[in-house]
Each structure stands twice: as structure tokens, then as C-alpha cells.
Amino acid sequence: MKKHIELLAILHITLGSLTLIGGILLISILLGTGYLASTLSGEPSVAFIVRCIAIGLSIFAFIIGAPILIAGIGLLKLKSWARVLSLILAFIDIINFPFGTLVSIYTFWVLLKTESTSLFGMSITGIDIRD
């Protein structure tokens, strides 16, 4: 089961990193496009609208990507909070078809097994039994 948790952590780190990189690329492309559109059309309002959209979408990508990345790092270290965070994020990310859905199903399958709860030092009730 430890191999499945390591694979799941790598998947979370990869998905979170790609989301963050996508946010950076998105803001770069849209800011450049907004500048180009405002220069060609002579309308400064075009650049303002595109900037607002770029910033909003990038913030959304960072809000989604950062917790996924943090959960993946926590899973590698077998932290009990990472298990809970991963399950919450899997529930939210199940609508992100197709990759988010696949990772969510795999997350549920791996982290809800009794063997994985013992690796995280938790009982079935969620109370930390390592302390």
C-alpha cells in the first residue's frame, strides 16, 4: 500500500505543479494579448478587461494548484493532515474531467483502505493514534 501512496503523492505533486505552471502561462499569454490588443485598437479599456480576466483566472489556478501540491508533499511524508486534505481535494476535483476524475477515484481507493490509515497512524475514526 505504501507504493500506492507514493504514486498518489507523485500524481498530486504533478497535477498541482501543472496547474500552477498553467496559471503562470495563462497570465503571461493573456497580459501579452491584452497589451497587443490595446495597442492595435487604441482602446485602453481592452487591456484593462483582459488584465482583469488574466489575473482572475490565474488566482483561481493558484488557489486550486497550491493545495494539491501541498497535499502531495504531505502524502510523501505520510502526514495525517495530508490524507484528510487529499480526500477533501479529491471530492472537489472529481468534476475536473478527465485527469482530476481519475486521480480522485484513485485517491479514494488508496486513502480509504484500512492499510493506508494504519500507515498514516490513524484509526478508522480519524483520531491520531501515534501520539
Side-chain angles (χ1 to χ4, degrees), residues 13-126:
I13 291 170
T14 304
L15 192 61
S17 299
L18 288 176
T19 305
L20 291 174
I21 291 169
I24 292 169
L25 287 175
L26 185 68
I27 197 167
S28 302
I29 291 169
L30 286 178
L31 288 179
T33 305
Y35 176 75
L36 184 63
S38 70
T39 333
L40 293 176
S41 69
E43 291 286 329
S45 61
V46 172
F48 176 74
I49 292 170
V50 174
R51 275 188 213 125
C52 289
I53 292 170
I55 291 169
L57 290 175
S58 297
I59 289 172
F60 183 71
F62 291 131
I63 288 172
I64 291 173
I68 295 172
L69 181 65
I70 291 168
I73 293 169
L75 284 175
L76 275 179
K77 297 178 180 181
L78 294 175
K79 300 291 184 180
S80 60
W81 58 263
R83 178 182 174 268
V84 175
L85 180 61
S86 296
L87 288 170
I88 293 169
L89 292 172
F91 182 73
I92 295 169
D93 206 31
I94 203 161
I95 61 172
N96 186 9
F97 188 78
F99 299 113
T101 305
L102 294 173
V103 172
S104 294
I105 292 168
Y106 188 59
T107 301
F108 292 136
W109 183 76
V110 170
L111 295 181
L112 292 177
K113 288 190 170 267
T114 309
E115 300 92 33
S116 68
T117 57
S118 64
L119 282 174
F120 285 99
M122 299 178 77
S123 68
I124 298 299
T125 60

